[in-house]
Amino acid sequence: MKLLAQCVALALIATPLAHAQFSLDARYKLDARYKDNDGDLVADIPSNASAWVNPSTLIFAYTPVEDPAVYADVWKPFLDHMAKVTGKRVQFFPVNSNAAQIEAMRSGRLHIAGFNTGSNPLAVACAGFRPFAMMAREDGSYGYEMEIITYPTSGIEKIEDLRGRTLAFTAETSNSGFKAPQALLEASYQLTAGKDYTPAFSGAHDNSILGVVNRDYDAAAIANSVAKRMVARNVINPDSYNTIFKSESFPTTGYGVVYNLHPDLQEKIRQAFFSFNWKGTAMEKEFSQSGEAQFIPITFKEHWSVVREIDQAMGVQYTCR
């Protein structure tokens, strides 16, 4: 996968690293509770059947958003379909932070999830997350861009104008909401958080967007797919913010299961993702606003290599507590 021309490559200038894939992967380690005997960088399904779990109710969580109730309705057709395929009751579990979502899976309270781009590596390493799907457009293409936005009368027209101003991030585990923009600002513009600009953390992309629109923040780093959906739902006006930077594309939310679900159940869940008919559903209405129209198969090793490389450039440690 091609690195971001103006973001990742610049981050790598600041922190030299070996570009060979084997060297990068060798540094990515799972928590000691998990095994990776096949080298795919995700936790193996336990070989001992006594370690498998087969719950009567499957718990699903989507990446944190400002109003989880909206997405409970959006995901209902899909979860109803999954219930039919698996023969299980499927329940939507609203989460308010990436950390809470990861902890829920690590502790066994969450079985199926969509983790945002930046938190996928931590979920894989610390929670036994096994991602296998991602949303894509009808032609199979996928991705979103990181944008830095501001409100029209802020006086901020370019990244250099962020000096002395407040820039909202989402959470430290977010790729477009923190890792990529921080790397860009430090490596290419010599802007350091806390020294050259004031960082703030909103908790979610929609919070950051609304914060800029309402002028609570001077600027924010966001995933533009979220902004597109908010515009389509008439939550915000497209003229209420300006974009001063747009990256190349990143992979989107990764969907998968916890490692120790019964293997047959894991396979049925995969079938549910790839057999779901989006046409005429609330899923199609919501996610078509940012271009998505289907689930496609992915691997963490291949599709998240650029994200792991950003993490490595920034010195991110996957410490599991």
Side-chain angles (χ1 to χ4, degrees):
M1 182 182 294
K2 185 171 68 174
L3 296 179
L4 296 176
Q6 291 180 288
C7 187
V8 180
L10 292 168
L12 301 183
I13 294 173
T15 307
L17 59 110
H19 287 275
Q21 187 65 49
F22 70 86
S23 178
L24 174 63
D25 291 345
R27 295 191 183 194
Y28 183 81
K29 299 293 184 184
L30 303 183
D31 187 61
R33 67 167 67 182
Y34 310 119
K35 303 295 183 184
D36 178 24
N37 293 323
D38 57 7
D40 63 357
L41 303 186
V42 301
D44 297 336
I45 299 172
S47 57
N48 190 336
S50 65
W52 300 342
V53 296
N54 196 4
S56 58
T57 298
L58 294 171
I59 307 300
F60 170 86
Y62 180 53
T63 187
V65 292
E66 183 193 28
D67 188 357
V70 170
Y71 283 88
D73 293 336
V74 167
W75 282 97
K76 187 177 186 304
F78 173 76
L79 299 187
D80 288 346
H81 172 71
M82 183 178 292
K84 292 179 180 179
V85 174
T86 62
K88 305 279 188 178
R89 182 170 178 261
V90 185
Q91 181 177 330
F92 184 87
F93 175 56
V95 291
N96 56 17
S97 73
N98 296 318
Q101 188 180 19
I102 291 171
E103 178 55 32
M105 180 165 282
R106 181 174 170 85
S107 64
R109 294 180 286 110
L110 177 61
H111 308 118
I112 312 161
F115 283 99
N116 70 11
T117 303
S119 65
N120 254 261
L122 189 60
V124 170
C126 295
F129 180 51
R130 291 171 54 86
F132 59 76
M134 180 168 55
M135 289 185 183
R137 303 175 188 93
E138 287 189 2
D139 63 1
S141 63
Y142 60 86
Y144 72 95
E145 293 76 43
M146 180 273 288
E147 293 188 13
I148 297 178
I149 65 170
T150 186
Y151 55 88
T153 60
S154 68
I156 299 173
E157 298 181 357
K158 56 187 183 300
I159 289 183
E160 291 88 343
D161 295 334
L162 292 172
R163 191 177 299 275
R165 308 299 290 270
T166 298
L167 174 66
F169 296 118
T170 58
E172 291 184 348
T173 54
S174 176
N175 182 63
S176 57
F178 178 68
K179 297 174 185 178
Q182 188 191 56
L184 169 74
L185 294 177
E186 289 189 4
S188 186
Y189 296 92
Q190 293 74 54
L191 292 175
T192 302
K195 176 185 175 184
D196 301 305
Y197 64 92
T198 301
F201 287 89
S202 71
H205 290 278
D206 37 9
N207 290 344
S208 289
I209 295 164
L210 289 172
V212 167
V213 170
N214 294 318
R215 307 188 181 188
D216 297 323
Y217 309 125
D218 296 319
I222 65 158
N224 63 3
S225 56
V226 177
K228 290 174 183 177
R229 293 198 295 269
M230 292 175 73
V231 168
R233 291 201 308 268
N234 295 316
V235 175
I236 59 172
N237 188 307
D239 296 327
S240 62
Y241 70 93
N242 295 330
T243 298
I244 63 170
F245 177 85
K246 181 178 179 181
S247 75
E248 292 186 27
S249 295
F250 284 110
T252 61
T253 297
Y255 297 88
V257 298
V258 69
Y259 80 111
N260 60 343
L261 282 183
H262 191 291
D264 293 344
L265 182 55
Q266 291 196 36
E267 181 56 34
K268 288 179 181 178
I269 292 169
R270 287 179 62 97
Q271 292 173 13
F273 272 88
F274 299 128
S275 64
F276 178 64
N277 183 356
W278 291 53
K279 299 298 183 182
T281 67
M283 288 275 288
E284 180 186 43
K285 182 178 179 181
E286 174 66 14
F287 290 105
S288 65
Q289 296 164 5
S290 51
E292 287 92 356
Q294 62 174 322
F295 289 108
I296 62 170
I298 56 94
T299 67
F300 175 72
K301 187 171 186 177
E302 175 189 352
H303 293 84
W304 259 258
S305 61
V306 64
V307 179
R308 295 194 305 274
E309 195 153 355
I310 290 175
D311 284 354
Q312 186 169 321
M314 295 183 66
V316 170
Q317 299 293 319
Y318 303 106
T319 303
C320 309
R321 299 177 182 176

